[in-house]
Amino acid sequence: MPKVVISSKGESQSVELRSGLRMIMAGMQAGLDQYGFGDCGGNLVCATCHVRVKSGTFPAMKLDEQYLLETLPVIYPDSRLACQLIVTEDCDVEWVG
Ligand code: FES
């Protein structure tokens, strides 16, 4: 199973996720939902699952993800929405919030 390292506010956690599941599940396993991560349950409405991808390969961003990211006050070249990322290999992301 791929290992996902997910960091937030200077702390990192490592969770294992079955290949093919979405990154939002890693955030939930790490308990980030108690801080508002993934509020819309992956329906591309909230952008609270905004992460920076430090390592790992993911399919190209689709337009609906791009449009939602562009509503945020700050985005980065490596910004993605965790609910749109399908995990198939070890990866490392930072939750921006
Ligand atoms: S969980 Fe709401 S957009 Fe990703």
Side-chain angles (χ1 to χ4, degrees):
M1 287 199 290
K3 184 176 83 173
V4 178
V5 176
I6 187 162
S7 60
S8 170
K9 299 178 176 47
E11 294 188 15
S12 294
Q13 296 183 64
S14 179
V15 299
E16 290 191 340
L17 199 65
R18 187 160 39 97
S19 183
L21 291 181
R22 292 179 186 261
M23 178 70 73
I24 188 173
M25 298 305 297
M28 299 294 184
Q29 282 187 38
L32 297 180
D33 50 323
Q34 66 184 314
Y35 304 111
F37 175 90
D39 265 358
C40 77
N43 290 307
L44 264 182
V45 177
C46 68
T48 60
C49 64
H50 178 198
V51 295
R52 297 184 71 178
V53 175
K54 302 304 181 184
S55 70
T57 305
F58 299 97
M61 188 182 311
K62 293 182 179 168
L63 279 178
D64 48 0
E65 180 183 0
Q66 183 180 334
Y67 291 152
L68 185 54
L69 277 171
E70 288 173 354
T71 67
L72 297 174
V74 179
I75 57 173
Y76 306 93
D78 56 1
S79 286
R80 294 294 302 261
L81 294 175
C83 66
Q84 302 304 301
L85 299 177
I86 296 175
V87 176
T88 59
E89 62 183 38
D90 290 356
C91 53
D92 184 347
V93 299
E94 176 186 357
W95 180 41
V96 180

